[in-house]
Amino acid sequence: MELDNIERYLEKYFEGSSSIAEEKALQDYFAGAEEHIAPHLREYAPVFRYFSRSRDETSTREIRIGTGRRKKHVYGWLSAAAVVAIAAGIWFSGYTSRDKEAEARLAYEETVQALYMIGENLNKGTARMEYLEEFDQTKKRILPERELQ
Amino acid sequence: MPFKDKLFRLAKRLLTSTEEAEDALQEVLLKLWVNKGKITAYRSVEAFAVTTTRNYCLDRLRSKQASNLKLAHSNYTDEASSLQRQVEARDSVSLMHKIMQGLPEQQKMVLQLRDVEQYEFEEIGDMLEMNPASVRVALSRARKAVREELIKKHNYGVG
């Protein structure tokens, strides 16, 4: 009776249509002592024994994911520190750039002032040149012949 | 994590060596940890974990193949030693191990997930991104392949 079931389960097993419960029954049947297994089915025993034995294998290496949590904590602090650093950076860079701007404006104004001074002096120079021209013209009028020679 | 060992066994089934499987497990668990926000959106955390493991191992195998590196498995014995082979032939469990190693990845995975871990077809379908009907077909094919190899080796050993 039980053998009938086993044969039927085995047939279903190879067709992929057996249920988990039927497969468990097969594994139990083949896990028993060799003499309790029907001789014509003995060749299937290694399959089921192998699969049940495979289930007992476990990883021996200890895996710590806890380090991940600590790392995350560090990230939290790191990001806080980064925010502070960036804020300070922006603040100071803003400060210095404003400082530089004022400096540049001052330099510009000084330059403009200096250029005005040069311009004024130049104008004074040309005013003097007018006298020179006057002198030249009178000279020409007084000494026309000599000039022609 | 309750299914940690299942992930380890699947990784070992695919990568063959214990060392490689443990490396894979570490990577996968780290990935799960990093994506723990996303996981809750998944139907099953376990299925997601198995899918991640499968993808990681297959990538690993592919990159190994590409770089032409051989897997460093500690439990592989050269077939050159006939004495060794005789001893192993007597040990039916290691014979099964050899047969399993010779199967294509897909068949290894369905056998591992069904016959070792005893998942339902729907669950395996989720894990391997297949529909349950094709899981059943793949499983039947894999089981028949194992039977064929077993009979072949058995006859060879006897004769």
Side-chain angles (χ1 to χ4, degrees):
Chain A
M1 180 194 75
E2 201 204 356
L3 186 63
D4 274 1
N5 273 344
I6 293 300
E7 281 175 337
R8 198 159 47 82
Y9 293 167
L10 207 55
E11 206 170 299
K12 283 172 86 180
Y13 173 81
F14 285 108
E15 293 310 316
S17 55
S18 48
S19 69
I20 297 271
E22 287 164 349
E23 287 165 22
K24 277 183 179 158
L26 283 173
Q27 288 196 354
D28 287 345
Y29 176 77
F30 286 106
E34 191 91 356
E35 58 266 26
H36 294 312
I37 302 170
H40 67 289
L41 298 180
R42 275 179 199 164
E43 60 178 340
Y44 296 121
V47 178
F48 296 98
R49 282 190 189 157
Y50 176 74
F51 288 139
S52 350
R53 205 190 276 192
S54 294
R55 206 173 300 130
D56 298 331
E57 193 169 5
T58 55
S59 153
T60 49
R61 195 195 292 176
E62 201 174 313
I63 290 165
R64 282 164 296 152
I65 322 180
T67 50
R69 185 181 289 166
R70 209 181 304 144
K71 223 185 259 173
K72 213 159 187 180
H73 220 64
V74 169
Y75 281 138
W77 281 111
L78 266 180
S79 59
V83 165
V84 169
I86 289 167
I90 288 168
W91 174 265
F92 280 111
S93 69
Y95 188 76
T96 52
S97 75
R98 228 177 295 139
D99 224 36
K100 268 184 192 158
E101 208 181 289
E103 211 171 288
R105 197 176 290 275
L106 191 72
Y108 169 77
E109 275 162 12
E110 299 252 299
T111 312
V112 167
Q113 200 97 22
L115 283 171
Y116 270 126
M117 266 163 75
I118 290 169
E120 254 171 65
N121 282 329
L122 264 173
N123 286 343
K124 262 186 219 160
T126 51
R128 292 278 186 277
M129 290 284 278
E130 272 168 36
Y131 288 115
L132 205 70
E133 206 166 325
E134 192 84 13
F135 173 76
D136 208 39
Q137 273 175 6
T138 20
K139 196 185 77 183
K140 270 183 198 165
R141 216 180 295 147
I142 295 165
L143 303 163
E145 298 88 26
R146 262 206 197 165
E147 195 70 16
L148 282 166
Q149 261 184 349
Chain B
M1 194 169 291
F3 47 85
K4 191 189 89 180
D5 288 318
K6 292 183 184 179
L7 301 181
F8 168 72
R9 289 192 288 261
L10 177 66
K12 193 177 172 188
R13 176 68 62 210
L14 290 169
L15 300 173
T16 322
S17 97
T18 305
E19 186 91 354
E20 292 250 4
E22 278 173 344
D23 286 347
L25 181 63
Q26 182 130 22
E27 285 297 316
V28 167
L29 292 182
L30 198 68
K31 262 183 207 177
L32 292 178
W33 180 262
V34 170
N35 293 325
K36 64 184 191 299
K38 257 186 269 170
I39 289 172
T40 46
Y42 263 76
R43 224 187 322 170
S44 149
V45 178
E46 201 163 329
F48 178 75
V50 170
T51 307
T52 308
T53 307
R54 175 198 68 155
N55 291 344
Y56 179 84
C57 292
L58 293 183
D59 277 353
R60 211 66 203 108
L61 288 173
R62 230 169 279 143
S63 72
K64 261 170 200 292
Q65 236 165 16
S67 60
N68 229 355
L69 275 169
K70 280 217 159 182
L71 282 173
H73 27 95
S74 50
N75 39 16
Y76 180 83
T77 41
D78 205 309
E79 227 163 319
S81 156
S82 65
L83 180 70
Q84 187 75 29
R85 197 171 56 194
Q86 279 180 348
V87 170
E88 278 187 25
R90 237 172 274 156
D91 182 2
S92 56
V93 169
S94 63
L95 175 65
M96 263 304 289
H97 188 69
K98 250 186 190 168
I99 291 171
M100 285 292 286
Q101 273 186 25
L103 294 177
E105 262 85 47
Q106 174 89 337
Q107 297 192 348
K108 281 184 198 174
M109 287 191 285
V110 289
L111 285 174
Q112 180 69 24
L113 295 175
R114 177 67 179 202
D115 285 348
V116 180
E117 310 299 355
Q118 300 177 320
Y119 285 115
E120 294 290 349
F121 289 159
E122 286 77 19
E123 292 174 296
I124 298 171
D126 274 355
M127 291 161 178
L128 302 183
E129 288 154 330
M130 308 161 68
N131 63 26
S134 35
V135 171
R136 198 186 69 83
V137 171
L139 188 65
S140 166
R141 209 167 286 161
R143 283 167 173 172
K144 283 176 178 163
V146 168
R147 178 173 62 183
E148 226 162 88
E149 283 298 307
L150 198 64
I151 289 168
K152 213 191 283 173
K153 299 241 167 147
H154 188 72
N155 289 346
Y156 179 75
V158 166

